Amino acid sequence: MRKGIVLMAILCCSALAVCAQRSEQTLEKGWKFTKGDVAGAETTAFSDTKWQSVTIPHDWAIQGPFSREYDLQNVVIKQNNEKVASVKTGRTGGLPYVGIGWYRTKFNVDGFSAGTKNVTLVFDGAMSEANIYVNGQKVAFWPYGYNSFSCDVTSFVNKDGKNNVLAVRLENKDQSSRWYSGAGLYRNVHLITTDKVHIPVWGTYITTPHVEADYASVRVRTEVAGNKDNKLIVETHIYNPQGKEVLIKKTTECGPDGQPNEQNFIIDNPQLWSPETPSLYTAKTILFADGEQVDTYSTTFGIRSIEIVAEKGFYLNGKRRQIQGVCNHHDLGPLGAAVNVAALRHQLQLLKDMGCNAIRTSHNMPAPELVQLCNEMGFMMMIEPFDEWDIAKCKNGYHRYFNEWAEKDVVNMVRHYRNDPSVIMWSIGNEVPTQGSGQGYKVAQFLQNICHREDPTRPVTCGMDQISAVLSNGFAAQLDVPGFNYRVNRYEEAYQKLPQSVVLGSETCSTVSSRGVYKFPVELKADAIYPDHQCSSYDMEYCNWSNVPDIDFAMQQDNQWTLGQFVWTGFDYLGEPSPYDTDAWPNHSSMFGIIDL
């Protein structure tokens, strides 16, 4: 009897140890928020009882009110062929996104013991210029509001792991965006507790080097952090889309700390990922240190092949297909920028029903929930990080941080999403002014090389609109895939001049319309303006720099060397109310969307 009790106790302790190896929680509730700068708000003694109680994700600006006075911009938009500055109203949605905001919460780390545990915070996105404090001490700064980042806070946690104060200061400057960016902790915040020896954030990299109908090879590379002299064992279990374990491999000879462990598998009769069959596998990696299990890390992946073939176009799983994509901004219309899975799923289902098969994340890193939904629902993705590089579009745009932060941002983007089968291509930028400079190709090469280093399996493109410049200065020629924004009349010329022998419509159409509004006479018309601030719903009106969709669709249908296109846009979005962006308040949202707000 006593032996049985002892054995049961040992088993219970063992189970608790396994459960306690990795703890992940989303810090959703219990937050306090205030608008404006507050001295001492990062300290543990500060009282936030009078602050507003909020739930994360939270967009402080979407509650409004709307106003013509918010973020007025007297600017020249060169991308719209403007020569003279004019007052732009509603360019960023007419919402109060500019300013400083503070967030505070408390968290506990159960079973924390200094020297044996590791504590990490992961921010899926914080808009913007985030300063992170734990127990009054600054632990991280990350300026770009769209990117995910993590910070090791182990040394800042209280000794007993209890009542740790997390404070976040965010600041959006005026004229920092060309559309509504949202404001605040608009994406999720995660607290991860692991053993000191563990698999770090985005610590696995899974590729499928060879894919055929009857078998596929799968390569799993696993990073290990915190290891000094421990003897490591990495054990990986592969589960098929039905949840059945199909393979297991244990590696006992692991390299030194910092060198990824590699395991290779052959999967017979694989269930291939595609928009029609979005089959997802899971790799569960178990880490042992000196014979003890210290971590378990699960990674979702898909088995599929992608290939760009000169003259022929884009191939998925060995079959040619054209990209029937849309560009989407990240906001959810009246719901604002705060990520909402149900709303994202609803949007994607509407797009799926109309025949869309791809999403371009314009012009920034997406919420991880969107990528997960694209994996599950069968959308190909082109993920894009930047709207400007080292030369400004907006007075307080990303150019202020490009030289110091661009590599860090691209590395995070690629490592975050390189296991996702939906992602078929990286874009390194959108209509960046740098493309027109004589040395611009060097910046493009710098960013493309980072993508290739972190993920050699996917091609790289860039959305270009200065066609004459990029065809002559080497910018377009050195990209894996030349991506053109509009200028469909230059596709044939580019195809003849560039070595890639393919062209991607990285952004197309920009036709404007208002649901239920019909203007007469019905005629093709650029920059049509009406007293009621509406556009005709006959799909015959467009901006002077764009065109109606029939032209792009015909080009795609008639020429195999066109990879396809991403229409601007799938959904209307807050900001950029063309053609009514020049002192035409109360317009505050786009009219480009195939589907409106």
Side-chain angles (χ1 to χ4, degrees), residues 40 223 235 458 593:
E223 294 181 27
E235 181 178 295
R458 292 176 177 88

Side-chain angles (χ1 to χ4, degrees), residues 475-490:
F475 191 100
Q478 61 92 39
L479 294 167
D480 296 333
V481 175
F484 282 11
N485 287 11
Y486 314 105
R487 318 300 191 265
V488 66
N489 59 309
R490 307 289 298 274

Side-chain angles (χ1 to χ4, degrees), residues 211 305-307 315-320:
V211 176
S305 66
I306 54 176
E307 189 177 10
Y315 282 72
L316 179 70
N317 298 328
K319 297 180 180 179
R320 183 182 180 276

Side-chain angles (χ1 to χ4, degrees), residues 212-420:
E212 293 187 13
D214 55 346
Y215 77 95
S217 63
V218 175
R219 179 177 298 152
V220 181
R221 289 180 175 169
T222 305
E223 294 181 27
V224 178
N227 181 46
K228 297 301 181 183
D229 301 314
N230 307 88
K231 180 176 176 56
L232 300 180
I233 296 175
V234 176
E235 181 178 295
T236 299
H237 302 246
I238 304 292
Y239 297 86
N240 69 13
Q242 290 71 42
K244 179 182 178 182
E245 183 178 292
V246 292
L247 289 168
I248 181 173
K249 182 167 287 189
K250 180 181 292 188
T251 303
T252 57
E253 296 298 327
C254 297
D257 192 30
Q259 179 178 320
N261 171 266
E262 181 175 309
Q263 296 169 315
N264 288 279
F265 302 83
I266 293 294
I267 296 181
D268 293 324
N269 302 312
Q271 301 175 54
L272 303 186
W273 187 95
S274 74
E276 294 74 28
T277 59
S279 302
L280 297 174
Y281 286 76
T282 301
K284 185 173 76 172
T285 303
I286 303 173
L287 178 65
F288 298 85
D290 295 333
E292 292 188 10
Q293 184 174 331
V294 293
D295 202 2
T296 301
Y297 191 100
S298 292
T299 309
T300 300
F301 69 99
I303 298 174
R304 55 104 180 97
S305 66
I306 54 176
E307 189 177 10
I308 306 295
V309 180
E311 307 286 351
K312 291 294 186 179
F314 172 70
Y315 282 72
L316 179 70
N317 298 328
K319 297 180 180 179
R320 183 182 180 276
R321 68 185 304 151
Q322 288 193 312
I323 295 168
Q324 298 169 189
V326 299
C327 304
N328 268 350
H329 272 315
H330 73 297
D331 76 80
L332 294 165
L335 300 182
V339 65
N340 183 307
V341 174
L344 288 172
R345 183 182 290 109
H346 177 64
Q347 283 193 337
L348 291 175
Q349 189 59 58
L350 291 173
L351 293 171
K352 191 86 170 178
D353 290 345
M354 78 176 193
C356 174
N357 66 12
I359 305 291
R360 176 195 185 204
T361 67
S362 312
H363 306 287
N364 44 260
M365 299 84 168
E369 290 85 355
L370 174 62
V371 182
Q372 182 178 344
L373 285 170
C374 287
N375 289 338
E376 296 170 358
M377 297 177 69
F379 284 88
M380 299 179 289
M381 300 190 77
M382 180 169 80
I383 291 184
E384 181 172 81
F386 305 128
D387 189 48
E388 63 181 45
W389 294 347
D390 53 337
I391 300 177
K393 285 184 184 179
C394 298
K395 181 180 73 173
N396 287 313
Y398 186 75
H399 68 277
R400 295 177 297 134
Y401 292 106
F402 181 84
N403 289 333
E404 180 182 355
W405 286 89
E407 180 165 7
K408 301 172 189 175
D409 277 317
V410 173
V411 166
N412 274 22
M413 176 189 75
V414 175
R415 291 188 179 182
H416 195 171
Y417 299 119
R418 62 187 179 181
N419 293 324
D420 294 286

